[in-house]
Amino acid sequence: MKPYTDGPGSGDGGGERPERAADPPGAGTTAPLADRLAAAVASVEAPDVVFAASVRGRRTLRDGGAADATATGRRELRYEIGSASKTFAGLLLAHLAASGRVPLGHPVDAALFPDRPPGRDPVTLHHLITHTSGLPGLPRDLYLRALPRRNTNPYAGYDARRVVEAFARARPRRPGTRWRYSNFGAAVLGHALAARTATPWDDLLREHVLDPLGLSGTALRPGAGGGRDATGHAKDGTTPLPPLDIAGFAAAGAVRATPHDLLAFLEAHLEPNGPLADALREVRRPVLSHGRGKHRQAHTLTWFQQPTPHGPAFFHCGATPGQQAFLGFCPATGLALAAVATRRYRPADPFSTEALTLLCEGP
């Protein structure tokens, strides 16, 4: 059972493509949740590992790893969550749409190039967040630029201007007709929303998502806000890597957060209330599916949907050059699960398998 595979570069800062598990796990286990979390931590070979769960608001965390525990403590560090950042971007878009500020069907060209005549089949904001824009996974000219930093910071140097220019040159194939996971599309979404609202992306996300949810342990840049960032490592588990420089792909993979903040984010999805209530409910609604037979997969505006014996669970994985993350929640069981590890993704790594199994088994 493998919920995602690595994307266009090994450890590309958030380019993995989640896939539905081949067979949903069974209905629960007799072992206490705390013991199962500890076993999951022990199964992952990484310098730092944290598995954090919340059952109807009651939290249980277990941590471990090969590295010496830091003075700050693993549970207090901020971890890069890579593509799981898209769940924050999608919630922001849903909120702006619910409040009437930005329609989901708003053409991207109208936001980025207001003086350019609209095309016949415009790419919309909804297309970007649901990976149906027809855009490739990454801009074609990024691959060559990324080669010198392929294993450390492949996005560094590809700034907002380059992302927007690459979109201007792109020729999307039949927007809205085909699902294709795209970091490029998610990055463009961030710039389109920033242009449409005349607000920088970081400020927009903090004002409408991070602050309302009380996520003070979440940042969008390394070292921001005085927090302590976890150090990622290469596949050998010992070579430290520099912090992720996501450059112009902030909406696709910039979020770094503490395990407690990740649980707070997921708990909000389980109990929607406050100014984000409508958006939190909206991002749980299935909007598309693709694939056939056992490979068929349903998606909401932001989450991958997984069938379980208890009802649907929602999850998203993330990977950066030196870290991994898993976020998921199941409304029927009231379980929220966040897992992080400071080692580069490897195809045989049990990290995401353990996390998805825990989520689907329930508390």
mmCIF file of all heavy atoms in Angstrom, residues 299-342:
data_model
loop_
_atom_site.group_PDB
_atom_site.id
_atom_site.type_symbol
_atom_site.label_atom_id
_atom_site.label_comp_id
_atom_site.label_asym_id
_atom_site.label_seq_id
_atom_site.Cartn_x
_atom_site.Cartn_y
_atom_site.Cartn_z
ATOM 1 N N HIS A 299 -11.540 13.013 -5.004
ATOM 2 C CA HIS A 299 -10.859 14.179 -4.463
ATOM 3 C C HIS A 299 -11.875 15.243 -4.061
ATOM 4 O O HIS A 299 -12.934 15.370 -4.672
ATOM 5 C CB HIS A 299 -9.931 14.808 -5.507
ATOM 6 C CG HIS A 299 -8.905 13.883 -6.046
ATOM 7 N ND1 HIS A 299 -7.632 13.811 -5.552
ATOM 8 C CD2 HIS A 299 -8.969 12.979 -7.042
ATOM 9 C CE1 HIS A 299 -6.951 12.894 -6.226
ATOM 10 N NE2 HIS A 299 -7.747 12.374 -7.132
ATOM 11 N N THR A 300 -11.512 15.998 -3.034
ATOM 12 C CA THR A 300 -12.268 17.194 -2.711
ATOM 13 C C THR A 300 -11.519 18.364 -3.342
ATOM 14 O O THR A 300 -10.607 18.167 -4.152
ATOM 15 C CB THR A 300 -12.373 17.391 -1.190
ATOM 16 O OG1 THR A 300 -11.112 17.847 -0.677
ATOM 17 C CG2 THR A 300 -12.781 16.096 -0.502
ATOM 18 N N LEU A 301 -11.869 19.562 -2.935
ATOM 19 C CA LEU A 301 -11.163 20.722 -3.459
ATOM 20 C C LEU A 301 -9.679 20.673 -3.116
ATOM 21 O O LEU A 301 -8.839 21.171 -3.872
ATOM 22 C CB LEU A 301 -11.791 22.009 -2.883
ATOM 23 C CG LEU A 301 -11.521 23.316 -3.619
ATOM 24 C CD1 LEU A 301 -12.152 23.285 -5.011
ATOM 25 C CD2 LEU A 301 -12.064 24.500 -2.817
ATOM 26 N N THR A 302 -9.352 20.041 -1.982
ATOM 27 C CA THR A 302 -7.958 20.035 -1.530
ATOM 28 C C THR A 302 -7.440 18.683 -1.075
ATOM 29 O O THR A 302 -6.223 18.488 -1.004
ATOM 30 C CB THR A 302 -7.767 20.996 -0.336
ATOM 31 O OG1 THR A 302 -8.666 20.617 0.709
ATOM 32 C CG2 THR A 302 -8.055 22.419 -0.734
ATOM 33 N N TRP A 303 -8.300 17.745 -0.747
ATOM 34 C CA TRP A 303 -7.877 16.494 -0.119
ATOM 35 C C TRP A 303 -8.078 15.288 -1.031
ATOM 36 O O TRP A 303 -8.991 15.264 -1.851
ATOM 37 C CB TRP A 303 -8.672 16.253 1.165
ATOM 38 C CG TRP A 303 -8.458 17.285 2.214
ATOM 39 C CD1 TRP A 303 -9.229 18.393 2.441
ATOM 40 C CD2 TRP A 303 -7.407 17.331 3.185
ATOM 41 N NE1 TRP A 303 -8.720 19.116 3.483
ATOM 42 C CE2 TRP A 303 -7.601 18.491 3.964
ATOM 43 C CE3 TRP A 303 -6.325 16.496 3.467
ATOM 44 C CZ2 TRP A 303 -6.742 18.846 5.008
ATOM 45 C CZ3 TRP A 303 -5.470 16.847 4.510
ATOM 46 C CH2 TRP A 303 -5.686 18.010 5.268
ATOM 47 N N PHE A 304 -7.242 14.273 -0.832
ATOM 48 C CA PHE A 304 -7.468 12.962 -1.425
ATOM 49 C C PHE A 304 -8.392 12.203 -0.481
ATOM 50 O O PHE A 304 -8.222 12.252 0.737
ATOM 51 C CB PHE A 304 -6.143 12.214 -1.594
ATOM 52 C CG PHE A 304 -5.227 12.859 -2.579
ATOM 53 C CD1 PHE A 304 -4.396 13.906 -2.194
ATOM 54 C CD2 PHE A 304 -5.194 12.448 -3.897
ATOM 55 C CE1 PHE A 304 -3.558 14.527 -3.101
ATOM 56 C CE2 PHE A 304 -4.364 13.055 -4.819
ATOM 57 C CZ PHE A 304 -3.540 14.104 -4.421
ATOM 58 N N GLN A 305 -9.370 11.519 -1.046
ATOM 59 C CA GLN A 305 -10.357 10.818 -0.221
ATOM 60 C C GLN A 305 -10.101 9.326 -0.250
ATOM 61 O O GLN A 305 -9.931 8.728 -1.312
ATOM 62 C CB GLN A 305 -11.769 11.124 -0.733
ATOM 63 C CG GLN A 305 -12.864 10.530 0.140
ATOM 64 C CD GLN A 305 -14.237 10.990 -0.299
ATOM 65 O OE1 GLN A 305 -14.549 12.173 -0.313
ATOM 66 N NE2 GLN A 305 -15.083 10.037 -0.681
ATOM 67 N N GLN A 306 -10.073 8.714 0.934
ATOM 68 C CA GLN A 306 -9.768 7.302 1.086
ATOM 69 C C GLN A 306 -10.937 6.586 1.758
ATOM 70 O O GLN A 306 -11.363 6.981 2.840
ATOM 71 C CB GLN A 306 -8.519 7.127 1.945
ATOM 72 C CG GLN A 306 -8.191 5.697 2.326
ATOM 73 C CD GLN A 306 -7.668 4.899 1.153
ATOM 74 O OE1 GLN A 306 -6.946 5.424 0.311
ATOM 75 N NE2 GLN A 306 -8.034 3.632 1.074
ATOM 76 N N PRO A 307 -11.497 5.526 1.161
ATOM 77 C CA PRO A 307 -12.560 4.777 1.842
ATOM 78 C C PRO A 307 -12.004 3.990 3.020
ATOM 79 O O PRO A 307 -10.890 3.459 2.962
ATOM 80 C CB PRO A 307 -13.089 3.850 0.745
ATOM 81 C CG PRO A 307 -11.949 3.675 -0.195
ATOM 82 C CD PRO A 307 -11.200 4.972 -0.181
ATOM 83 N N THR A 308 -12.749 3.938 4.105
ATOM 84 C CA THR A 308 -12.384 3.140 5.270
ATOM 85 C C THR A 308 -13.640 2.435 5.762
ATOM 86 O O THR A 308 -14.754 2.788 5.356
ATOM 87 C CB THR A 308 -11.822 4.004 6.421
ATOM 88 O OG1 THR A 308 -12.914 4.586 7.151
ATOM 89 C CG2 THR A 308 -10.912 5.107 5.911
ATOM 90 N N PRO A 309 -13.517 1.440 6.640
ATOM 91 C CA PRO A 309 -14.701 0.776 7.187
ATOM 92 C C PRO A 309 -15.612 1.723 7.964
ATOM 93 O O PRO A 309 -16.783 1.412 8.191
ATOM 94 C CB PRO A 309 -14.104 -0.288 8.113
ATOM 95 C CG PRO A 309 -12.737 -0.542 7.571
ATOM 96 C CD PRO A 309 -12.265 0.779 7.065
ATOM 97 N N HIS A 310 -15.080 2.899 8.343
ATOM 98 C CA HIS A 310 -15.861 3.829 9.145
ATOM 99 C C HIS A 310 -16.523 4.920 8.304
ATOM 100 O O HIS A 310 -17.388 5.645 8.796
ATOM 101 C CB HIS A 310 -14.958 4.511 10.181
ATOM 102 C CG HIS A 310 -14.016 3.584 10.855
ATOM 103 N ND1 HIS A 310 -14.398 2.676 11.812
ATOM 104 C CD2 HIS A 310 -12.676 3.398 10.693
ATOM 105 C CE1 HIS A 310 -13.347 1.985 12.230
ATOM 106 N NE2 HIS A 310 -12.283 2.393 11.554
ATOM 107 N N GLY A 311 -16.094 5.059 7.067
ATOM 108 C CA GLY A 311 -16.526 6.168 6.237
ATOM 109 C C GLY A 311 -15.313 6.816 5.602
ATOM 110 O O GLY A 311 -14.172 6.397 5.852
ATOM 111 N N PRO A 312 -15.507 7.836 4.804
ATOM 112 C CA PRO A 312 -14.374 8.426 4.092
ATOM 113 C C PRO A 312 -13.383 9.112 5.026
ATOM 114 O O PRO A 312 -13.766 9.768 6.000
ATOM 115 C CB PRO A 312 -15.031 9.437 3.145
ATOM 116 C CG PRO A 312 -16.340 9.763 3.790
ATOM 117 C CD PRO A 312 -16.783 8.504 4.470
ATOM 118 N N ALA A 313 -12.104 8.937 4.721
ATOM 119 C CA ALA A 313 -11.030 9.681 5.373
ATOM 120 C C ALA A 313 -10.405 10.585 4.326
ATOM 121 O O ALA A 313 -10.491 10.325 3.116
ATOM 122 C CB ALA A 313 -9.989 8.728 5.958
ATOM 123 N N PHE A 314 -9.784 11.651 4.775
ATOM 124 C CA PHE A 314 -9.195 12.634 3.878
ATOM 125 C C PHE A 314 -7.728 12.802 4.244
ATOM 126 O O PHE A 314 -7.380 12.907 5.421
ATOM 127 C CB PHE A 314 -9.936 13.969 4.005
ATOM 128 C CG PHE A 314 -11.416 13.858 3.774
ATOM 129 C CD1 PHE A 314 -12.279 13.553 4.819
ATOM 130 C CD2 PHE A 314 -11.954 14.039 2.511
ATOM 131 C CE1 PHE A 314 -13.642 13.434 4.614
ATOM 132 C CE2 PHE A 314 -13.317 13.913 2.290
ATOM 133 C CZ PHE A 314 -14.167 13.613 3.339
ATOM 134 N N PHE A 315 -6.851 12.834 3.220
ATOM 135 C CA PHE A 315 -5.425 12.922 3.518
ATOM 136 C C PHE A 315 -4.673 13.654 2.412
ATOM 137 O O PHE A 315 -5.160 13.821 1.291
ATOM 138 C CB PHE A 315 -4.822 11.529 3.710
ATOM 139 C CG PHE A 315 -4.635 10.747 2.434
ATOM 140 C CD1 PHE A 315 -3.411 10.746 1.782
ATOM 141 C CD2 PHE A 315 -5.679 10.022 1.876
ATOM 142 C CE1 PHE A 315 -3.225 10.030 0.604
ATOM 143 C CE2 PHE A 315 -5.500 9.308 0.699
ATOM 144 C CZ PHE A 315 -4.269 9.310 0.062
ATOM 145 N N HIS A 316 -3.479 14.074 2.748
ATOM 146 C CA HIS A 316 -2.548 14.644 1.772
ATOM 147 C C HIS A 316 -1.140 14.388 2.278
ATOM 148 O O HIS A 316 -0.863 14.520 3.468
ATOM 149 C CB HIS A 316 -2.764 16.142 1.601
ATOM 150 C CG HIS A 316 -2.390 16.636 0.228
ATOM 151 N ND1 HIS A 316 -1.107 16.544 -0.278
ATOM 152 C CD2 HIS A 316 -3.133 17.227 -0.738
ATOM 153 C CE1 HIS A 316 -1.093 17.069 -1.502
ATOM 154 N NE2 HIS A 316 -2.305 17.477 -1.807
ATOM 155 N N CYS A 317 -0.249 13.992 1.375
ATOM 156 C CA CYS A 317 1.156 13.760 1.703
ATOM 157 C C CYS A 317 2.000 14.937 1.236
ATOM 158 O O CYS A 317 1.567 15.741 0.414
ATOM 159 C CB CYS A 317 1.663 12.493 1.030
ATOM 160 S SG CYS A 317 0.740 11.014 1.457
ATOM 161 N N GLY A 318 3.207 15.012 1.735
ATOM 162 C CA GLY A 318 4.125 16.047 1.291
ATOM 163 C C GLY A 318 5.557 15.583 1.430
ATOM 164 O O GLY A 318 5.874 14.784 2.320
ATOM 165 N N ALA A 319 6.437 16.079 0.555
ATOM 166 C CA ALA A 319 7.859 15.755 0.643
ATOM 167 C C ALA A 319 8.670 16.941 0.171
ATOM 168 O O ALA A 319 8.325 17.594 -0.809
ATOM 169 C CB ALA A 319 8.182 14.528 -0.202
ATOM 170 N N THR A 320 9.732 17.240 0.882
ATOM 171 C CA THR A 320 10.718 18.225 0.457
ATOM 172 C C THR A 320 12.042 17.473 0.295
ATOM 173 O O THR A 320 12.092 16.268 0.548
ATOM 174 C CB THR A 320 10.850 19.361 1.498
ATOM 175 O OG1 THR A 320 11.460 18.851 2.681
ATOM 176 C CG2 THR A 320 9.487 19.959 1.835
ATOM 177 N N PRO A 321 13.115 18.117 -0.129
ATOM 178 C CA PRO A 321 14.356 17.367 -0.319
ATOM 179 C C PRO A 321 14.834 16.597 0.907
ATOM 180 O O PRO A 321 15.545 15.602 0.772
ATOM 181 C CB PRO A 321 15.356 18.450 -0.726
ATOM 182 C CG PRO A 321 14.522 19.448 -1.454
ATOM 183 C CD PRO A 321 13.237 19.487 -0.684
ATOM 184 N N GLY A 322 14.457 17.030 2.108
ATOM 185 C CA GLY A 322 14.945 16.335 3.281
ATOM 186 C C GLY A 322 13.913 16.013 4.340
ATOM 187 O O GLY A 322 14.271 15.572 5.440
ATOM 188 N N GLN A 323 12.623 16.187 4.036
ATOM 189 C CA GLN A 323 11.597 15.931 5.038
ATOM 190 C C GLN A 323 10.350 15.344 4.384
ATOM 191 O O GLN A 323 10.155 15.459 3.167
ATOM 192 C CB GLN A 323 11.235 17.212 5.793
ATOM 193 C CG GLN A 323 12.423 17.841 6.510
ATOM 194 C CD GLN A 323 12.049 18.965 7.439
ATOM 195 O OE1 GLN A 323 11.057 18.902 8.155
ATOM 196 N NE2 GLN A 323 12.867 20.019 7.455
ATOM 197 N N GLN A 324 9.501 14.715 5.220
ATOM 198 C CA GLN A 324 8.237 14.147 4.765
ATOM 199 C C GLN A 324 7.130 14.539 5.731
ATOM 200 O O GLN A 324 7.385 14.783 6.917
ATOM 201 C CB GLN A 324 8.305 12.625 4.720
ATOM 202 C CG GLN A 324 9.332 12.038 3.791
ATOM 203 C CD GLN A 324 9.319 10.530 3.864
ATOM 204 O OE1 GLN A 324 8.338 9.877 3.540
ATOM 205 N NE2 GLN A 324 10.421 9.947 4.304
ATOM 206 N N ALA A 325 5.907 14.562 5.235
ATOM 207 C CA ALA A 325 4.767 14.881 6.087
ATOM 208 C C ALA A 325 3.531 14.146 5.595
ATOM 209 O O ALA A 325 3.402 13.824 4.412
ATOM 210 C CB ALA A 325 4.514 16.384 6.105
ATOM 211 N N PHE A 326 2.628 13.891 6.517
ATOM 212 C CA PHE A 326 1.325 13.283 6.222
ATOM 213 C C PHE A 326 0.294 13.991 7.086
ATOM 214 O O PHE A 326 0.477 14.133 8.297
ATOM 215 C CB PHE A 326 1.342 11.790 6.539
ATOM 216 C CG PHE A 326 0.014 11.100 6.318
ATOM 217 C CD1 PHE A 326 -0.236 10.392 5.154
ATOM 218 C CD2 PHE A 326 -0.988 11.146 7.288
ATOM 219 C CE1 PHE A 326 -1.459 9.761 4.944
ATOM 220 C CE2 PHE A 326 -2.214 10.516 7.096
ATOM 221 C CZ PHE A 326 -2.442 9.821 5.916
ATOM 222 N N LEU A 327 -0.803 14.420 6.462
ATOM 223 C CA LEU A 327 -1.932 15.025 7.175
ATOM 224 C C LEU A 327 -3.188 14.262 6.803
ATOM 225 O O LEU A 327 -3.412 13.959 5.630
ATOM 226 C CB LEU A 327 -2.114 16.498 6.791
ATOM 227 C CG LEU A 327 -0.944 17.463 7.012
ATOM 228 C CD1 LEU A 327 -1.368 18.872 6.612
ATOM 229 C CD2 LEU A 327 -0.468 17.430 8.447
ATOM 230 N N GLY A 328 -4.027 13.962 7.792
ATOM 231 C CA GLY A 328 -5.270 13.269 7.477
ATOM 232 C C GLY A 328 -6.271 13.373 8.605
ATOM 233 O O GLY A 328 -5.914 13.627 9.759
ATOM 234 N N PHE A 329 -7.556 13.174 8.265
ATOM 235 C CA PHE A 329 -8.602 13.175 9.278
ATOM 236 C C PHE A 329 -9.772 12.334 8.796
ATOM 237 O O PHE A 329 -9.982 12.150 7.587
ATOM 238 C CB PHE A 329 -9.058 14.603 9.602
ATOM 239 C CG PHE A 329 -9.687 15.342 8.444
ATOM 240 C CD1 PHE A 329 -11.076 15.373 8.273
ATOM 241 C CD2 PHE A 329 -8.897 16.018 7.521
ATOM 242 C CE1 PHE A 329 -11.650 16.055 7.214
ATOM 243 C CE2 PHE A 329 -9.469 16.704 6.453
ATOM 244 C CZ PHE A 329 -10.854 16.726 6.300
ATOM 245 N N CYS A 330 -10.526 11.793 9.748
ATOM 246 C CA CYS A 330 -11.692 10.968 9.443
ATOM 247 C C CYS A 330 -12.864 11.474 10.283
ATOM 248 O O CYS A 330 -12.866 11.303 11.508
ATOM 249 C CB CYS A 330 -11.412 9.505 9.741
ATOM 250 S SG CYS A 330 -12.810 8.407 9.382
ATOM 251 N N PRO A 331 -13.857 12.112 9.680
ATOM 252 C CA PRO A 331 -14.975 12.671 10.435
ATOM 253 C C PRO A 331 -15.742 11.638 11.258
ATOM 254 O O PRO A 331 -16.182 11.928 12.377
ATOM 255 C CB PRO A 331 -15.858 13.283 9.349
ATOM 256 C CG PRO A 331 -14.920 13.603 8.231
ATOM 257 C CD PRO A 331 -13.916 12.486 8.251
ATOM 258 N N ALA A 332 -15.890 10.426 10.745
ATOM 259 C CA ALA A 332 -16.703 9.429 11.443
ATOM 260 C C ALA A 332 -16.082 9.000 12.767
ATOM 261 O O ALA A 332 -16.791 8.713 13.734
ATOM 262 C CB ALA A 332 -16.915 8.212 10.550
ATOM 263 N N THR A 333 -14.766 8.958 12.841
ATOM 264 C CA THR A 333 -14.103 8.524 14.061
ATOM 265 C C THR A 333 -13.580 9.691 14.893
ATOM 266 O O THR A 333 -13.132 9.494 16.027
ATOM 267 C CB THR A 333 -12.923 7.594 13.734
ATOM 268 O OG1 THR A 333 -11.960 8.316 12.932
ATOM 269 C CG2 THR A 333 -13.392 6.364 12.976
ATOM 270 N N GLY A 334 -13.602 10.901 14.321
ATOM 271 C CA GLY A 334 -13.076 12.060 15.029
ATOM 272 C C GLY A 334 -11.575 12.060 15.153
ATOM 273 O O GLY A 334 -11.005 12.778 15.989
ATOM 274 N N LEU A 335 -10.901 11.269 14.314
ATOM 275 C CA LEU A 335 -9.445 11.151 14.383
ATOM 276 C C LEU A 335 -8.764 12.101 13.408
ATOM 277 O O LEU A 335 -9.110 12.140 12.222
ATOM 278 C CB LEU A 335 -9.021 9.712 14.065
ATOM 279 C CG LEU A 335 -7.511 9.454 13.947
ATOM 280 C CD1 LEU A 335 -6.809 9.703 15.275
ATOM 281 C CD2 LEU A 335 -7.243 8.030 13.452
ATOM 282 N N ALA A 336 -7.806 12.860 13.926
ATOM 283 C CA ALA A 336 -6.907 13.660 13.104
ATOM 284 C C ALA A 336 -5.500 13.123 13.310
ATOM 285 O O ALA A 336 -5.127 12.780 14.435
ATOM 286 C CB ALA A 336 -6.975 15.128 13.497
ATOM 287 N N LEU A 337 -4.728 13.038 12.233
ATOM 288 C CA LEU A 337 -3.390 12.476 12.319
ATOM 289 C C LEU A 337 -2.408 13.320 11.526
ATOM 290 O O LEU A 337 -2.632 13.609 10.344
ATOM 291 C CB LEU A 337 -3.367 11.041 11.778
ATOM 292 C CG LEU A 337 -2.007 10.340 11.837
ATOM 293 C CD1 LEU A 337 -1.651 10.005 13.284
ATOM 294 C CD2 LEU A 337 -2.002 9.077 10.985
ATOM 295 N N ALA A 338 -1.324 13.713 12.184
ATOM 296 C CA ALA A 338 -0.232 14.431 11.523
ATOM 297 C C ALA A 338 1.058 13.671 11.813
ATOM 298 O O ALA A 338 1.319 13.286 12.955
ATOM 299 C CB ALA A 338 -0.123 15.859 12.040
ATOM 300 N N ALA A 339 1.854 13.439 10.773
ATOM 301 C CA ALA A 339 3.124 12.744 10.943
ATOM 302 C C ALA A 339 4.201 13.486 10.161
ATOM 303 O O ALA A 339 3.950 13.976 9.053
ATOM 304 C CB ALA A 339 3.021 11.298 10.465
ATOM 305 N N VAL A 340 5.391 13.568 10.745
ATOM 306 C CA VAL A 340 6.506 14.258 10.094
ATOM 307 C C VAL A 340 7.787 13.453 10.327
ATOM 308 O O VAL A 340 7.912 12.747 11.322
ATOM 309 C CB VAL A 340 6.689 15.700 10.628
ATOM 310 C CG1 VAL A 340 5.541 16.593 10.177
ATOM 311 C CG2 VAL A 340 6.802 15.708 12.154
ATOM 312 N N ALA A 341 8.730 13.569 9.392
ATOM 313 C CA ALA A 341 10.016 12.888 9.519
ATOM 314 C C ALA A 341 11.073 13.693 8.774
ATOM 315 O O ALA A 341 10.790 14.283 7.721
ATOM 316 C CB ALA A 341 9.943 11.471 8.953
ATOM 317 N N THR A 342 12.295 13.704 9.318
ATOM 318 C CA THR A 342 13.355 14.530 8.734
ATOM 319 C C THR A 342 14.344 13.689 7.935
ATOM 320 O O THR A 342 15.549 13.693 8.184
ATOM 321 C CB THR A 342 14.103 15.310 9.827
ATOM 322 O OG1 THR A 342 14.622 14.378 10.806
ATOM 323 C CG2 THR A 342 13.185 16.302 10.505
#
